[in-house]
Amino acid sequence: ETFDAAGLHILPGAIDVHVHFRDPGYTHKEDFESGTAAAAFGGVTTVFDMPNTLPTVATGAALAQKHAVAAAKACVDYGLYAVLGEESLDHLPDLIAGGIIGFKLYMGNTFGRIPSPSTGAMLEAFERVAPTGLRIALHAETNSIMERRQARLAASGRSDPLAHLASRPAVVAVEAVARAAILAEWTGARIHVLHISSAAELAPLRDARARGVDVTGETCPHYLLLGTADYARCGGVIRVNPPVREADNHGPLWAALRDGTIDMIATDHAPHTPEEKTRADIWAVDCGFPGVESQMPLMLSGVAQGHYSVCDYVRWSAENPAKVFGLHPRKGAVAVGADADFAFVDLARRWTLRDADLQSRSKISPWDGRAVTGLPVHTMVRGRFVMRDRALVPGSAGFGRSVHPLQSMPPAQPRHQDQSLAAVTAQRPEAAE
Ligand code: NCD
Ligand code: ZN
Ligand code: ZN
C-alpha cells in the first residue's frame, strides 16, 4: 500500500486517558463507533473509556457487556475503566480478571449518579487495589462541600452559568486531592488526578509526590485555553465538571505541564445533545462537551506559536499516558516492538474548528469557530489506516482492540499500613486473589 506523506510529520498517535463514549446506555449522546471515529479524526489511536455508562461498570457482567460493545464498534484501541466504590468492592477480582486499564473513583457527583464513597470506603478500596498495581483515577471533587454550596446558591435564586463555577470553587478539588493523596500514601495505591483545573491543586499534588506517593495528573485543553471570559460567549455549553476557571490559572497549569507536575493532556470528552446542553436549568447534570477530536489541533497550535516543541506535545499526549498506565513501549513510542500507531499531521495547516464538522454525535462545544494550526491528515492504528485524507476508512469499526497494562506493576510500598487490618483483610476470600 502506498500513500502520500509528503510534508507531513509522523507522530505517535495520541492516547486520551479520559473519554466518555456513553455506550451502553446513553447512545443518543455518543456510542463506541461515533466516539472512536472522532478519536481517529483527532489523531488519537487509543482511548480509555470511563465507567459511568448504563449499567455502571461495577460488576464483571457489566464489564463483559461493555467489552462486547467496544470490540464490535471501536475504530481505535481502547482501555476500559471500572468503577471503584462501595457498589464494586465485592466485585474487584471479577473486574480485574475481566480486563481493565485501571479504576475510576468518583469523589464528587457526576453524570450517571454514581455514589461517592465515604473516606472509610475509599481507604478500604485503596487497600484492596494497591497490591494489583493498577492505577486509580480520581474525579477529585468533595461532594459534601459542593452540594452544600449548590444548595445555598440555588436557594438564593442564582441561576447564571457562573453559579455553576461558584458551586465548585477550587477548594472543592484541593481538599479532595489532598485527602486522596493521604490515603494513597497510607496504602501504597497508585493514583491519577483527573481534570486538574486550578493552580491551587498543584500544591497538594507536589507535596504528595515529594512524600513518595505514586500520583500522576492530567489537565484538559479547556482548563489551559478557556477562562471565565468565555462564559458569556458560550452560556451553558461551557458547563463542565470541574468548571472552567479564571484565566490566572493558565500560567501555573502550563508551567506544571512543562516541569512534569502534570504528566499529560486528556480531554474528558463528555458528549451531550444540543437540547441537553442548552436547557435553561444550570443545575442539570449534562456537564461537559466533546473534546477527543480537537485536542491535537488545539495543542499543536501552541507548537506553531513556538510556546513548546512538538516533542513536548508528544510527551504529554502519548509517551506519558502510556508510561503512567503501563502500556509503554508498546504504545506511546516509536521503537522496535511498538505498535505502529501514528498520526500523520500537517503542522502548518491553518483551519477553523467547526462543531458541525465533528464526528462526535454531540455537535456542540466551546471550540466552534476557533482558529487552529495543525491538522491530523491520516491516522494509523497497528499498521492500518483508520482515517485517511480526512475520511474514515471503511471497515474500521471493529478493528480497535482492548489494551491492558503490559505487566501487572509491582505494588508501591505502603508506608503506614495498619498491619492488624491488613491481616483481617487477607482472611477474606475475595482479597486472596
Ligand atoms: C462527565 C460526564 O458527563 O460524564 N462530565 C463532566 O462535566 N466532566 C463526568 C465527569 O467527568 O465528571
Ligand atoms: Zn470527572
Ligand atoms: Zn470525565
Side-chain angles (χ1 to χ4, degrees):
E1 196 179 22
T2 60
F3 60 96
D4 190 4
L8 303 182
H9 280 69
I10 305 176
L11 310 185
I15 300 172
D16 190 338
V17 307
H18 188 165
V19 303
H20 299 265
F21 283 171
R22 311 295 192 202
D23 199 355
Y26 306 102
T27 51
H28 68 288
K29 296 175 189 278
E30 194 80 288
D31 75 359
F32 247 94
E33 190 165 347
S34 58
T36 55
F41 273 68
V44 176
T45 49
T46 305
V47 292
F48 299 169
D49 188 59
M50 286 296 170
N52 58 335
T53 39
L54 209 59
T56 302
V57 182
T59 65
L63 176 63
Q65 185 185 352
K66 189 184 271 193
H67 268 302
V69 163
K73 298 186 189 176
C75 310
V76 304
D77 287 349
Y78 52 88
L80 302 182
Y81 286 101
V83 152
L84 188 60
E86 292 183 64
E87 67 275 43
S88 69
L89 273 183
D90 291 335
H91 304 286
L92 299 187
D94 288 349
L95 291 166
I96 293 161
I100 53 174
I101 193 67
F103 284 99
K104 167 76 175 274
L105 191 148
Y106 288 92
M107 298 176 77
N109 57 25
T110 189
F111 177 75
R113 302 204 182 281
I114 292 170
S116 306
S118 66
T119 305
M122 266 181 79
L123 178 62
E124 182 176 347
F126 278 28
E127 281 178 327
R128 293 175 67 176
V129 171
T132 70
L134 287 166
R135 200 168 285 275
I136 303 167
L138 298 157
H139 177 116
E141 289 192 310
T142 300
N143 241 2
S144 57
I145 304 177
M146 93 197 158
E147 284 185 342
R148 197 177 170 99
R149 288 182 69 97
Q150 266 170 18
R152 283 164 63 198
L153 284 155
S156 76
R158 229 183 120 180
S159 62
D160 53 312
L162 284 164
H164 179 255
L165 169 65
S167 76
R168 299 167 113 105
V171 64
V172 172
V174 174
E175 196 276 348
V177 170
R179 184 157 46 97
I182 289 168
L183 300 181
E185 181 177 17
W186 207 264
T187 58
R190 296 196 161 89
I191 59 172
H192 175 70
V193 181
L194 299 161
H195 44 45
I196 295 172
S197 61
S198 67
E201 284 159 87
L202 300 170
L205 183 61
R206 289 185 172 119
D207 286 355
R209 241 186 228 158
R211 300 198 306 273
V213 179
D214 187 340
V215 53
T216 56
E218 72 183 33
T219 189
C220 314
H222 43 280
Y223 301 121
L224 293 165
L225 298 171
L226 301 178
T228 43
D230 294 289
Y231 279 71
R233 176 177 62 87
C234 299
V237 176
I238 202 172
R239 207 161 30 86
V240 58
N241 301 332
V244 166
R245 303 189 186 282
E246 296 75 11
D248 60 4
N249 289 284
H250 294 168
L253 289 174
W254 281 112
L257 256 182
R258 286 167 197 280
D259 74 18
T261 304
I262 295 177
D263 300 83
M264 68 190 79
I265 293 289
T267 67
D268 195 4
H269 176 89
H272 301 281
T273 65
E275 299 71 43
E276 290 162 340
K277 286 305 291 180
T278 53
R279 276 211 293 258
D281 177 11
I282 71 134
W283 304 112
V285 295
D286 305 294
C287 293
F289 38 78
V292 72
E293 217 167 328
S294 33
Q295 178 271 112
M296 191 174 285
L298 287 166
M299 294 297 296
L300 287 179
S301 299
V303 174
Q305 289 157 8
H307 296 321
Y308 42 87
S309 73
V310 72
C311 295
D312 291 328
Y313 171 68
V314 165
R315 197 170 66 250
W316 302 333
S317 63
E319 182 183 342
N320 286 352
K323 285 181 172 166
V324 162
F325 285 88
L327 300 180
H328 200 265
R330 174 69 52 76
K331 301 287 191 195
V334 182
V336 175
D339 287 347
D341 290 348
F342 298 126
F344 296 75
V345 299
D346 182 346
L347 290 177
R349 174 70 170 273
R350 291 164 187 264
W351 60 296
T352 302
L353 295 173
R354 295 278 175 216
D355 285 350
D357 296 338
L358 292 175
Q359 298 298 306
S360 173
R361 208 157 273 171
S362 168
K363 299 188 195 311
I364 186 159
S365 88
W367 305 116
D368 189 45
R370 190 169 179 110
V372 289
T373 307
L375 178 74
V377 177
H378 319 296
T379 300
M380 177 180 276
V381 176
R382 283 176 283 108
R384 180 191 191 276
F385 285 109
V386 294
M387 189 275 284
R388 212 169 152 169
D389 292 316
R390 303 297 293 164
L392 203 66
V393 174
S396 295
F399 181 71
R401 288 283 170 272
S402 174
V403 293
H404 309 300
L406 287 185
Q407 66 267 335
S408 181
M409 299 182 284
Q413 214 37 47
R415 309 192 13 162
H416 301 283
Q417 199 174 41
D418 178 335
Q419 293 306 321
S420 55
L421 178 62
V424 171
T425 308
Q427 282 161 17
R428 293 186 181 199
E430 65 268 38
E433 300 280 316

